Amino acid sequence: MEELSELLLQRRRKVDALWEAGINPYPNDFRPLHTSADILNAYGDKQQIDASDEIFVVAGRILARRSFGKAAFIQLQDRKGRVQLYVKKDEIGDEAFAAFESFDIGDIVGAEGYPFRTKTGELSLHARSIRLLVKSLLPLPEKFHGLTDVETRYRQRYVDLIVNPDAREIFIKRSRIVNLIRAFMVNRDFLEVETPMMHQIPGGATARPFVTHHNALDMELYLRIAPELYLKRLVVGGLERVFEINRNFRNEGISVRHNPEFTMMEFYQAYATYEDLMDLTEELFCHIAQELLGALDFTNQGLEISFQRPWKRLTVREAILEYGDVEAKHLDDRDLALAYARSIGLDLPDDIGYGKLVMEIFEEVAEHKLIQPTFITAYPTEVSPLSRKNDQNPDIVDRFELIIAGREIANAFSELNDPIDQKERFLAQVAEKDKGDEEAHYMDEDYVRALEYGLPPTAGEGIGIDRLVMLLTDSPSIRDVILFPQLRKETK
RNA sequence: GGGCAUGUAGCUUAGAUGGUAGAGCAGCCGACUCUUAAUCGGCAGGUCGUUGGUUCGAUCCCAACCAUGCCCA
């Protein structure tokens, strides 16, 4: 038997007492017919209420209690919000009131009552009856400060959701954002699909995978780092417009911007280019902001962000020249660029490729300064093994990343659909892997075979849902927008 | 992986140049039939993250470890 504090023993004794009195502390025959929001919607704007015969049937958790001997106020919380109940001994009877007096904060109850306004004007429900639906054995955090310890908020998100309305609001908004995205895509005739989460060859991104093992097949499998290669196979198959909203897994560090599993919306549109996707992205983001916030301008961590179109477009090179302290002729010369990179504190190997070098410089000097939505284009071919080369300049690809508030939110490109070129790019990646780059791509022969059948000219994009939610809910950490973020093992 | 910081009751916290801790809320008992962090009286609740070390004595000093946060890689 575990040791329990006096507080917990008292609750257990109450449960025992209920059983002994023939009362089930966990009944399941109560059906609420209304929510707190129904009451508010019906009477929120009425000062005079004469509806003592209109009965609302609600259920929820007791969050607060103020007792006066033969009457009491309790605050009830359901999925829509909170409503105050006034419980009077005269009204519900001696026996029911005696039972009511044993209810604790945290218990779940069902009640019937009629709406009225208290002397201080709060819309409340005058209870005709109230009964226990669930006896809670653990005390809730303090009413005034709530739960502030971040570790407990993440580990016991259920408590966080009970007592912190802000946390609840973020996850309601997250759900709305996903629904808005889904409706937007379906509206444009995209087909929602599900592709494997377990890959024999992890592909579609530059990242280290999680490894697992299938016993019956005695085979290594990898949790996917991206769905890209499967979604493009579907475009080969003629589905032409597909999207998937689902988790990716990357075996990398954890930070305010990174969780090992995170949610992406990836989509592919045949007969489109990356430039078409810039337009689509602007429209999608403006639609979400307008529906969710009612505005295209908002604040994120003290920064004024505006989704007003058109959004700025810069090449990687232009962004470096604008935000870094380097001249074009130096940036364009590999050795001089490397010297510049080192002068600003980057620790880079002598044999680093020019494309990687440029991206290191970009991330150091420009990315975090791009606050307003900005499409960064003209990425080096070297760091974009799945993107279509630019027709005028084969050293760059037809790709953009969308940066907002200094963070990468989306990544898109016109897809490389030349199977010969794709095979060569895979081989270059395999060479990098052999040199020790754990993030380099694997060869995927089946994907090349799919391209040999013919991938229509296609553009594809991935949008980081967690980061988008952070942006629109003004959350400083990715853990604030993921219900159960990854933590180390809990120690007792 | 490195640096800095934090860890005291269910929650939010105070505290001491080292002499084994104080409060508010929650809880229990009592009073109270319109409260909004209700109010009033009383009571109870702590191996001060874990393990070692120094010391007559450690929650406090030191070390390691665990967990969390922030920054860096």
Side-chain angles (χ1 to χ4, degrees), chain A residues 196 198-203 217 219-223 230 442 444:
Chain A
M198 296 196 291
H199 290 183
Q200 294 185 22
I201 301 169
L217 298 177
M219 173 172 80
E220 298 291 286
L221 286 171
Y222 302 87
L223 298 187
Y230 283 96
Y442 290 75
D444 190 332

Side-chain angles (χ1 to χ4, degrees), chain A residues 142 216 309 396 425 477 481:
Chain A
E142 190 216 340
R309 300 174 71 187
I396 59 172
R425 303 251 210 122
S477 170
V481 303

Side-chain angles (χ1 to χ4, degrees), chain A residues 377-395:
Chain A
T377 61
Y379 277 72
T381 302
E382 180 190 334
V383 299
S384 313
L386 303 167
S387 306
R388 176 191 175 88
K389 282 177 191 163
N390 183 270
D391 286 342
Q392 274 69 52
N393 178 359
D395 293 335

Side-chain angles (χ1 to χ4, degrees), chain A residues 398-418:
Chain A
D398 288 343
R399 170 181 175 190
F400 72 79
E401 282 194 6
L402 171 62
I403 315 289
I404 308 176
R407 286 193 292 261
E408 178 198 339
I409 302 289
N411 178 26
F413 36 89
S414 296
E415 302 301 333
L416 173 56
N417 64 344
D418 173 347

Side-chain angles (χ1 to χ4, degrees), chain A residues 53 127 311 330-331 478:
Chain A
D53 54 349
W311 294 354
H330 287 179
L331 182 60
I478 196 169

Side-chain angles (χ1 to χ4, degrees), chain A residues 270-315:
Chain A
Y271 313 110
T273 68
Y274 78 118
E275 289 178 308
D276 297 319
L277 296 195
M278 286 194 244
D279 294 336
L280 182 149
T281 303
E282 287 183 4
E283 285 167 32
L284 171 62
F285 277 45
C286 287
H287 172 69
I288 295 169
Q290 196 65 54
E291 291 294 316
L292 189 78
L293 308 172
L296 297 180
D297 301 316
F298 56 93
T299 303
N300 180 269
Q301 300 299 293
L303 300 170
E304 298 293 331
I305 309 284
S306 177
F307 277 3
Q308 302 285 347
R309 300 174 71 187
W311 294 354
K312 199 170 175 182
R313 300 180 183 189
L314 287 176
T315 65

